[in-house]
Amino acid sequence: MMIVAALLLVHVLSAAFWVGGMATVHLAVRPAAAQALIEPPRRLALMHAVLDHFFLGVTLAIVALLASGFALIALAGGFAVQPPRVHAMTGLGLVMTAIFVVIRLRHYPRLQRGVAAGDWPAAGAALNAIRQLVAVNLVLGVLVFAAALLGRAL
């Protein structure tokens, strides 16, 4: 029973870090940077630095989420015996992970190159693509929490 509690703790903390971090960056850091740092070079350099640190944490959180989630499912008898909320959380989590992979491997390198080269239009376009995908992932993350909490009542 202690292993289940430990896995659940890792799982919930990892999910809270990822979804809460997206909310913080998307709803607070980005708008504040746009308001306070009018010049694109400073704003884009700041967002690049913020995302650089955040994406490392998200990568670790995803590894922890997948490992703990699949371990919990295995300990509970496998997917076949899981309630619909577990299937919903798993499916949404895998979609979120795929979106993060696209952000991290396609758009973030474009942001890095743009900032390094001083190509502010290219960096801005990359950051806008990241912003749009993070907004999608934020909505999906809220739905995962809703499935986890409200699904228990159904």
Side-chain angles (χ1 to χ4, degrees):
M1 222 26 157
M2 187 63 158
I3 187 73
V4 171
L7 287 168
L8 190 56
L9 177 64
V10 167
H11 198 73
V12 170
L13 289 177
S14 297
F17 173 83
W18 188 6
V19 176
M22 285 190 298
T24 301
V25 171
H26 189 71
L27 300 173
V29 174
R30 187 187 58 80
Q35 182 179 20
L37 304 171
I38 304 303
E39 311 83 32
R42 292 179 62 201
R43 183 176 64 246
L44 290 164
L46 171 68
M47 291 307 299
H48 170 260
V50 168
L51 293 176
D52 193 50
H53 293 286
F54 179 57
F55 287 169
L56 174 61
V58 170
T59 301
L60 296 173
I62 289 171
V63 169
L65 274 165
L66 293 174
S68 60
F70 287 123
L72 286 163
I73 289 167
L75 289 171
F79 273 111
V81 297
Q82 296 306 307
R85 68 184 173 87
V86 172
H87 291 271
M89 288 186 291
T90 304
L92 290 169
L94 291 173
V95 170
M96 289 176 67
T97 299
I99 290 171
F100 176 73
V101 168
V102 169
I103 291 169
R104 186 65 185 88
L105 298 181
R106 180 176 181 198
H107 299 295
Y108 183 68
R110 289 177 39 225
L111 175 63
Q112 287 179 305
R113 288 190 302 271
V115 169
D119 184 352
W120 306 118
L127 185 60
N128 189 52
I130 291 169
R131 178 191 62 77
Q132 291 172 353
L133 290 172
V134 167
V136 170
N137 254 2
L138 182 55
V139 170
L140 294 175
V142 170
L143 291 174
V144 170
F145 274 98
L149 298 172
L150 299 176
R152 289 180 169 271
L154 299 176

